[in-house]
Amino acid sequence: MRVLIAGVGNIFLEDDGFGPEVVRALQHEILPSGARLVDYGIRGVHLAYDLLESWDALVLIDALPVTGVPGKLAIVEVDPESEGTQGGRGFDAHSMHPSSVFASLQALGGTLPRTFVVGAHAKSTGDGIGLSAEMRDSVGQAASAVMALVRSIDVDCDATTLGPEV
């Protein structure tokens, strides 16, 4: 089982730095064998290239739009049919928006593995370093959610590879 756990976001845009903060919290955890934890920051092209490797799943940690309750955690499984070349965009070396990363991956000839987004709704993404109190309070909860998700993916993958009981 290979799971890429990818924190994304810009630490210079307040709550957009949520992904990197959660990755920092996860650095002290013992990850299952085959899981890789990376803080991609704003390096979307690097994430797209790394996704060209064979992964069973991707767990993307990111700040969600400023549309919900600040700091409220959400876990969403991405539908690969609805992602990718959103708006007809192809390779984009300058964007970290997940849909741009997915489109870049597709333009490079790769396919998106089973993908989950773990995020919290941002309060503000203006210029500034540091998370709002609401987002800071969600970091530990998000780290726990990522660990639980990775363990459940591990169980799903093991059940799939073992096949039916005889």
Side-chain angles (χ1 to χ4, degrees):
M1 186 262 331
R2 294 192 69 218
V3 177
L4 179 59
I5 306 165
V8 298
N10 189 334
I11 63 168
F12 298 109
L13 297 177
E14 296 177 307
D15 288 345
D16 195 48
F18 181 73
E21 281 299 317
V22 175
V23 167
R24 188 184 342 242
L26 286 168
Q27 287 175 338
H28 306 290
E29 297 290 335
I30 298 172
L31 299 172
S33 176
R36 180 174 160 208
L37 177 67
V38 180
D39 174 6
Y40 285 95
I42 58 171
R43 298 173 297 131
V45 69
H46 293 129
L47 175 55
Y49 276 112
D50 282 351
L51 285 169
L52 291 173
E53 297 176 28
S54 177
W55 296 100
D56 295 303
L58 167 65
V59 177
L60 191 66
I61 310 163
D62 196 6
L64 300 176
V66 185
T67 55
V69 176
K72 184 174 181 183
L73 196 66
I75 302 171
V76 177
E77 185 166 3
V78 173
D79 176 8
E81 299 301 316
S82 68
E83 293 298 329
T85 57
Q86 182 184 25
R89 284 188 272 175
F91 187 80
D92 185 351
H94 303 288
S95 181
M96 189 59 244
H97 192 277
S99 63
S100 295
V101 172
F102 301 157
S104 294
L105 173 63
Q106 189 173 31
L108 290 167
T111 57
L112 193 62
R114 186 174 182 196
T115 300
F116 300 87
V117 176
V118 175
H121 287 278
K123 182 175 184 178
S124 174
T125 56
D127 291 341
I129 297 174
L131 301 178
S132 65
E134 294 88 344
M135 291 295 273
R136 215 174 21 254
D137 291 344
S138 296
V139 168
Q141 183 183 7
S144 295
V146 167
M147 290 301 295
L149 182 58
V150 169
R151 287 184 188 111
S152 74
I153 293 168
D154 187 23
V155 169
D156 287 348
C157 288
D158 287 345
T160 303
T161 56
L162 291 175
E165 279 190 12
V166 181

